[in-house]
Each structure stands twice: as structure tokens, then as C-alpha cells.
Amino acid sequence: MDLSESVEALWRIESPQLIATLARRIGDLDIAEDLASEAFVAALEQWPVDGVPPRPGAWLTTTAWHKAIDRARREETARRKAPLLVAGQDGQLPDVTDAALAPIPDDLLTMLFTTCHPVLAPESRVALTLRLFGGLTTDEIARAFLAPSPTVGQRISRAKRTLAEARVPVEAPAANDVPERLRAVLEVLYLIFNEGYSASSGESIVRTDLAIEAMRMGRVLAGLLPTEPEVFGLVALMELQASRFRTRADADGMPVQLEHQDRLNWDRTLIDHGLGMLDRAFDLTRPLGPYTLQAAISACHARATSFADIDWVAIVALYDALAQVTGSPVVELNRAVAILHLDGPEAALLVTEPLLEDRRLAGYHLLGAVRDDLLTRLGRHDQAAAELERAADIAPTKQERQLLLDRMVEALEAANH
Amino acid sequence: MRVMVMTKGDAADEGRGEPTTEMFEKMQAFNEQLVNAGILLGGEGLKPSNAGAKVAFSSSGVSVFDGPFTESKEVIAGYWIWEVSSLAEAVEWAKRCPFDSSYGDSQVLEIRPLFDMEDFAETVDAETLARSEELQSRATGG
């Protein structure tokens, strides 16, 4: 094992807690990250000579702290203010063995709340979270997003500057802000996951890494917040969805519907772990949140041994609850699909009727696609063709537009027979 | 990258003593670190090899050997499944596994990456995939 590979691995393992601890003492994420990087550079210089220390994490913390003290001294010498050190204002430099330097998991949580702060744009939250909480290098993030490394580097610097300019303190949110701030954190993790999940097949190998990182960070968060059901719900949802990565596209990269996926090829390890996480979410017995409900729906699919074996009664009930919690018309559309399997196309079509009036779905082509499927099943091919024409007009990509138009031609042919 | 990490010891050391509370706690602390790092996906401990058997194939036929596997220097005692970013990361974690020489003079952690779908896409031909589909429809009745 090459030393630089080991140091890169150690960065991933140790840097989040190291930066979080330094940030608590110093009050500045940017300086904390700088100090951590300096400590790793020192490791690359010294370890080949002295050997890798028995507790690399402790070595890195101590080294970073020495660098912090050096900086403070330099600043003092320059007769500038020393904003660097929160402690030791009376000119006394803090002791390296100071108990306050001990890593505290809460620091990690505070850092995550900061990197997901609402003052930042979503793409900045994503990059900064992957960098600081995920311990990814800028190059790794750039590779995952298929973006040039300098672009990602600039995005991260800009995010840190925004936090500094808005004077966002590195501290845990006030108790009554926690639910909202936690929602923002979960949103960022799910955004990262979906960045990987929805990637097209040509990019799938790289992008799957993002989904894996999102799941890993979700599990870390679950360890930090073991009483928040929605954290477990989100991890379960991501793992259950990711368990179908291998089967969701065919050899040509076209999406394969759940009904036709090769269930034997689903990832049992992720399913087992995801179901365990879902149990934890349920055990915390609170009104079920949207992530837990979605995970529970996903679990119904994971537990079924075949498509015919799916518990549609449970799925429809879960969609009822999810529609209530979210009030989302997209959820309502998914509920209609579940009702198709439980009560047939007529009942499902009824559920979709009010959605035609919902302005939030005005540009949503999948409404037309679902209605086409229902109308076709009912033999109403004329109407199906009309739905497809409307859907094709608003399809987001050329391929999807073409697919819808092809189906329209089929529907018109069927109508003329 | 998903890896299987197998803990192995000398068969001669099997059953050298029940784990003490202290050893148990050390192992638990290590497992907790793996969970908190978000990398532990699963794992099991195995009973000593005297509870197992081997089925060996050779040109002279099939032989069955009951445990314990006394001649073996590396008997698997348990395994984990980790999701890590690189082999180096798995090595860094493995180095932190507790070791107590009172249970044996040596302990080996063997780290082996699992195949994933990208590995198969290139080696499995269309015919085999078709057979797999047929197997699936027989298994699920679908």
C-alpha cells in the first residue's frame, strides 16, 4: 500500500472530525480546513521517515493544533488581533493536551448543520458537505459531478466565503430551529443521492459513487442523531432504492420498470440493511415522516418475492399517508398507479382526474404517460393518443419526447382498428 | 467499493478461552466505530471449526472431513461486509481492529473486494444472462 494512498484514506476517515473539532475551537471552517490540510502535508513528509504513528488521528489533531498555535503567534507578533484562538484571550496559549481538543461527535453534527446552512445555494451545500463532512477531495467531487476540478474548488471556496460574510457561527442551531435545519440537511443528502441515482447509464459508474457517499453520510448522521426517525427513514429509503441499481436499466441504458426487473439481482445486503434502518425508524414511534413513508413503500417492493406478490393494500395505505403529509401532486399520481394494481384502471383514472386541474403538474409529462397507460388498458385509445400528444409537447428530453410520440402512433393505430 | 473482511486465526488456537468482557467490549467499540463511520453493512461470527465440515474435490473423488480443521493456519472466525472508498481505506480500518494475543499468537484480517455489476457486464455473455432470466422466472413464478 502506497503511503499517499494511505494518507488519502486517512483524510477520508479522520479529516471530518478533525476539521469539526478545530472549527469549534477556532470558529472558522476555512482556517480549520487549512490547518487540517497542513497537518496532512506534515504527515506526508514525516511518516516516510519516522513511520506511521500508532494513532494517526491523534497525531494529526496534535499537529494541526500546533500549527494553529504557530499561526496565532505569528499574528500576535505582527501585532494584529488574534481572532484565531477563541480560548486563551489573556495572551495565554491553550495547552495542546487541553481536554477541549478531544474530538466530540457533536462537532461533526454542528459542521454538517453549517455546510447545509440555508444561506448557501443548494449546489454549494452539496459540494461543501461532500468536502468537509464526507471527507472527499476536491478531485473526487469533481470526478463524481463530471465537472472540472478548479470549478468545484471555486464553488467550495465561494461557499466558505459566503458563510464567513453572512457571519454564520460554527455552532449548533437553536433547539426550536433544529427541525427545519435538519430538514435542510436531509434534503442535501437526498439531493446528493439522487444526483447518483438519476444519472444516465453512460455515466452510471461514476455517479453511483455519489449515491454511495450519500448513504454513507446518512449512516454517519444516524449515529449522531440516534433519536431522529426521519434520518433512519432517509437512510432506509436510499438503501432500498440503491438495492435496485443493477436492474433499473437494460443493456441499452433504457429504464426497466419495476415489474420487469430481475429481482434475483437486487442487492440483498443493501435490502437487509435498509429494512433494519426502517425498523429503527418505526421503533422511534413518532408520526411517520415523508422519508420513512417512502422507505416503507420501497420496502413493500423489496419484501415481495415477485411482482404478483406485492402487498398493494399496504402500498395504497402508505401513499394515502404520504399524500397527506406532503400534499404533493406527484405523490398523488404515484398513488394512482398503486390503485391501478389494487382496484384496476377505472379507479386509478378517477384519482388522476383532479390532477389535470393542478397547475403544479402543468409541465409534468409523466401525468400524461400514466393516463395513457390507464386509458390504453381501458381500450380508450383515442383519448390515450391525445394524452400522449400533450405529454410529448412538455417532455424534458428529446428521447422521452420521441418515446411518447412513438407510443402515440401505436395508440392511433389501435384506435383505428 | 464493497469488501469482505475475514478474520482468521490458527486452528490450534481455537477455543483457547471464551472471550472476556474486556475483549468483548473492545470488539464492540471497534464495531461501533465502523457503524458510526457508515461503512459497516453486515457481518457474522462463525462457530469454531469443530462444529463444521469440509467437502473436498480432487481427481480421486469427493472426500468429507469433519472439523476441527487442526492443520489449518488460517481458519475463518468471522467476517464483515464494508462499503469503503478504496482498498487503502479498508486497510486503515482493519489496522484498528483489536488484537489480544492471549487468544492466539496471530490474527489475520483478509480484505477481499466483492465483484459488482460492472465487473460482470464485460464477462457474462448474452446467453448466460438469458439463462439467468429463465432461472429467475422459474424461481419467482413470474
Side-chain angles (χ1 to χ4, degrees):
Chain A
M1 199 63 46
D2 190 301
L3 180 70
S4 67
E5 283 176 323
S6 300
V7 172
E8 194 171 312
L10 275 172
W11 174 267
R12 184 174 286 244
I13 296 171
E14 302 288 352
S15 76
Q17 180 70 64
L18 175 58
I19 293 170
T21 304
L22 291 166
R24 165 169 54 90
R25 292 302 312 272
I26 290 163
D28 187 304
L29 272 181
D30 197 19
I31 298 173
E33 194 194 352
D34 264 2
L35 292 167
S37 304
E38 285 176 25
F40 272 83
V41 170
L44 270 174
E45 286 165 0
Q46 288 185 28
W47 293 358
V49 184
D50 305 334
V52 178
R55 291 174 57 222
W59 186 97
L60 290 162
T61 309
T62 311
T63 306
W65 195 245
H66 279 300
K67 305 236 173 240
I69 293 171
D70 288 347
R71 272 195 191 211
R73 283 210 183 102
R74 278 201 304 276
E75 290 189 6
E76 259 187 5
T77 316
R79 291 228 151 263
R80 265 188 265 137
K81 279 205 297 187
L84 185 63
L85 298 172
V86 175
Q89 280 97 340
D90 48 359
Q92 210 187 345
L93 290 163
D95 188 357
V96 178
T97 56
D98 191 341
L101 199 57
I104 303 175
D106 277 357
D107 292 341
L108 214 46
L109 187 58
T110 299
M111 184 167 76
L112 181 59
F113 276 123
T114 310
T115 61
C116 297
H117 198 279
V119 76
L120 298 170
E123 69 269 20
S124 304
R125 296 181 205 179
V126 162
L128 200 58
T129 300
L130 282 166
R131 171 87 184 123
L132 297 183
F133 187 72
L136 271 72
T137 63
T138 302
D139 282 345
E140 284 174 317
I141 301 170
R143 261 203 309 279
F145 280 100
L146 308 172
S149 196
T151 309
V152 173
Q154 281 160 16
R155 192 178 296 164
I156 291 169
S157 310
R158 214 168 35 237
K160 286 187 290 196
R161 207 160 50 236
T162 306
L163 287 174
E165 283 167 6
R167 298 190 180 281
V168 172
V170 184
E171 60 184 33
N176 53 350
D177 291 338
V178 167
E180 200 191 320
R181 296 287 299 279
L182 180 59
R183 248 195 312 278
V185 167
L186 297 181
E187 244 172 55
V188 169
L189 296 186
Y190 200 39
L191 198 63
I192 294 170
F193 178 80
N194 276 314
E195 196 65 49
Y197 188 67
S198 54
S200 63
S201 65
E203 307 162 347
S204 67
I205 296 171
V206 203
R207 295 292 185 99
T208 310
D209 288 351
L210 277 177
I212 289 171
E213 290 307 334
M215 290 186 276
R216 181 173 65 86
M217 292 191 292
R219 294 183 207 113
V220 174
L221 179 59
L224 296 170
L225 285 175
T227 58
E228 287 292 341
E230 276 287 86
V231 178
F232 291 95
L234 173 61
V235 175
L237 174 62
M238 294 192 290
E239 291 180 337
L240 291 170
Q241 287 184 339
S243 74
R244 298 171 204 140
F245 270 168
R246 294 178 207 165
T247 59
R248 70 200 164 134
D250 65 15
D252 302 322
M254 294 307 284
V256 179
Q257 288 191 328
L258 210 51
E259 191 170 352
H260 303 296
Q261 289 186 11
D262 175 4
R263 284 161 184 270
L264 287 187
N265 205 8
W266 285 357
D267 186 333
R268 291 306 322 176
T269 305
L270 275 186
I271 290 176
D272 290 345
H273 202 272
L275 292 176
M277 288 276 136
L278 183 60
D279 285 344
R280 290 282 298 273
F282 277 123
D283 286 347
L284 290 164
T285 57
R286 283 204 231 155
L288 299 180
Y291 291 116
T292 307
L293 285 166
Q294 290 176 79
I297 292 167
S298 208
C300 289
H301 292 289
R303 287 197 186 100
T305 51
S306 68
F307 193 78
D309 185 43
I310 292 171
D311 184 354
W312 290 107
V313 176
I315 291 183
V316 169
L318 288 163
Y319 268 122
D320 287 344
L322 186 61
Q324 266 190 358
V325 173
T326 61
S328 153
V330 175
V331 170
E332 193 63 9
L333 185 60
N334 285 321
R335 195 172 74 90
V337 177
I339 284 176
L340 160 70
H341 294 290
L342 186 64
D343 297 325
E346 195 92 48
L349 198 61
L350 270 176
V351 176
T352 64
E353 296 294 342
L355 296 176
L356 294 172
E357 312 295 323
D358 196 317
R359 289 175 58 192
R360 289 172 295 175
L361 288 187
Y364 195 64
H365 68 295
L366 291 181
L367 172 60
V370 168
R371 282 180 58 84
D372 149 57
D373 179 46
L374 299 174
L375 289 164
T376 303
R377 283 168 195 264
L378 292 166
R380 289 152 68 175
H381 300 290
D382 272 340
Q383 285 167 286
E387 294 284 353
L388 285 164
E389 189 178 8
R390 270 201 297 277
D393 276 347
I394 51 176
T397 67
K398 262 190 212 161
Q399 288 95 324
E400 278 172 282
R401 182 179 147 80
Q402 195 52 52
L403 269 178
L404 291 164
L405 289 176
D406 291 348
R407 268 167 66 182
M408 186 185 76
V409 172
E410 286 171 29
L412 286 174
E413 279 170 6
N416 291 329
H417 274 284
Chain B
M1 168 199 255
R2 198 170 289 176
V3 295
M4 176 183 269
V5 181
M6 290 163 274
T7 59
K8 295 174 162 187
D10 195 319
D13 295 326
E14 275 190 318
R16 225 165 103 169
E18 291 296 308
T20 57
T21 307
E22 191 202 349
M23 186 55 187
F24 196 80
E25 281 173 353
K26 273 191 194 161
M27 208 57 201
Q28 211 169 26
F30 179 60
N31 275 317
E32 204 177 321
Q33 283 183 43
L34 299 174
V35 170
N36 289 341
I39 64 165
L40 181 59
L41 289 185
E44 300 285 351
L46 308 187
K47 289 184 178 179
S49 64
N50 63 16
K54 279 186 188 182
V55 178
F57 295 80
S58 72
S59 51
S60 51
V62 182
S63 320
V64 177
F65 302 98
D66 289 330
F69 312 143
T70 41
E71 74 290 358
S72 179
K73 289 286 177 204
E74 293 194 353
V75 175
I76 301 175
Y79 72 90
W80 291 281
I81 302 290
W82 296 348
E83 182 76 63
V84 286
S85 60
S86 63
L87 185 62
E89 189 189 346
V91 167
E92 285 309 316
W93 280 112
K95 277 156 67 180
R96 299 170 188 209
C97 181
F99 169 61
D100 186 336
S101 59
S102 59
Y103 297 100
D105 296 330
S106 77
Q107 172 181 257
V108 175
L109 263 63
E110 182 174 323
I111 305 165
R112 304 282 297 274
L114 271 60
F115 277 117
D116 58 31
M117 59 165 174
E118 284 82 20
D119 296 312
F120 285 119
E122 298 195 352
T123 52
V124 179
D125 60 38
E127 196 188 325
T128 312
L129 283 175
R131 275 206 306 275
S132 152
E133 268 168 37
E134 187 204 323
L135 175 68
Q136 182 231 347
S137 63
R138 268 168 38 212
T140 60

